[in-house]
Amino acid sequence: MSGLLVSLQGAVAQGVLWGIMVLGVYITFRLMDIADMTVDGSFALGACVCAVLVVNKGVNPVLALLVAAAAGVVAGAVTGILHTVFEIPAILAGILTQISLWSINLRIMGGKSNLPLLKVKTLISGLAASFGMTQAQASMIVGIVLAVAAILFLYWFFGTEIGSAMRATGNNEDMVRALGVDTRMTKLLSLMVSNGLVGLSGALVCQSQKYGDVGSGTGAIVIGLALVVQLAQNVVQQQNRVLTEQITDHCRLGQLHCQHAAALLALTAKHPGGLAVQQNFQILAVRPGQAEPGAQLGTAHGPHLFGQRRGGGGRGAHLVVQRQHLGTVGDVLIILRGDGSRR
């Protein structure tokens, strides 16, 4: 049993350290809608830079972490310049930087594929020796502290003017550009911040595992994307559950609040981007049940959410959405009335 607990501590410690890398992947993949392939190279870059500084240069391990994060920022800047200045597609720009970093990492390591840190003091080993704890426990504490610090920094940063512009660029780049914001700069900054976190994570894993390796970043993007996608699915499922509970609890009959109506239409159509071109509708009823075959006249998808009318197609004609499965509510039939006007 004690062996299992020790193994779990090591697994949790590694998960926390790799979690900082996931924060970087989240910025580009979810906020900016960019699949940044630089991650595999910048993760190994952080590890290699940290190992060389600590072993060959005798640099303080904390300072080595900062330099490794700065190296990741530079790698992200290269990808950003290729994408924004030379107009290379983001995924191809990331692949180019990733391939280049393989040779650069080998050069940094002095032609060696790996470099051990067994005989030098690192941040994690120093903490373990000072407080009489295991390597896994020290890694867990350092990882949690830095992960919390990174989350607080990102929370503050994305609340600033430039951070809000970055988030808006990921949501609607054309709109942000129309407002006078340089979207090239916001993309460049997002890639730099993302890969800075990835480089920091690589340096932490290097100090935890006591060696740096040029192949340590292999598969990092796969791990990061898998965790981000799983997190996004959980968030969406929770949002849908809360929405449907609100609808059934407070909006049985009568007119829905405009936010609930818009969210319900988005959820029913499974095409949130189509709401911008929809007509004005009033929810007449939301009731569980089996939709009658003759009442299924709505398309519930496509550029126009509701394509067919019932009762002649004049003003005030009734529209019926196809029966949809809405989370915990089950099958719901939504009856709507459109006035024919545009938003």
Side-chain angles (χ1 to χ4, degrees), residues 26-111:
Y26 179 85
I27 294 174
T28 52
F29 185 69
R30 293 296 300 179
L31 295 185
M32 303 301 297
D33 197 22
I34 297 175
D36 182 23
M37 303 301 293
T38 316
V39 172
D40 284 13
S42 57
F43 186 91
L45 176 64
C48 293
V49 169
C50 180
V52 169
L53 290 178
V54 173
V55 175
N56 295 342
K57 305 298 182 181
V59 176
N60 183 281
V62 177
L63 180 59
L65 291 177
L66 298 177
V67 176
V73 170
V74 173
V78 172
T79 301
I81 291 173
L82 291 176
H83 175 50
T84 59
V85 177
F86 296 97
E87 298 183 352
I88 299 175
I91 189 169
L92 180 57
I95 292 174
L96 290 174
T97 307
Q98 175 193 0
I99 295 174
S100 301
L101 284 174
W102 177 266
S103 299
I104 294 173
N105 291 337
L106 276 176
R107 177 67 176 176
I108 292 173
M109 298 278 281

Side-chain angles (χ1 to χ4, degrees), residues 288-312:
Q290 178 74 26
E292 299 177 2
Q296 296 184 4
L297 301 179
T299 60
H301 62 274
H304 300 288
L305 186 58
F306 306 101
Q308 301 185 31
R309 300 190 176 210
R310 181 182 181 185

Side-chain angles (χ1 to χ4, degrees), residues 24 53 68 88 135 151 158 187 262 280 282 284 289 317:
L53 290 178
I88 299 175
Q135 185 85 359
I151 292 173
F158 285 114
K187 289 182 179 179
N280 293 324
Q282 179 186 9
L284 296 182

Side-chain angles (χ1 to χ4, degrees), residues 237 240-245 248 325-332:
Q237 290 175 358
N240 291 347
R241 186 179 300 110
V242 172
L243 173 63
T244 52
E245 288 175 356
T248 54
H325 184 72
L326 301 182
T328 58
V329 176
D331 292 330
V332 177

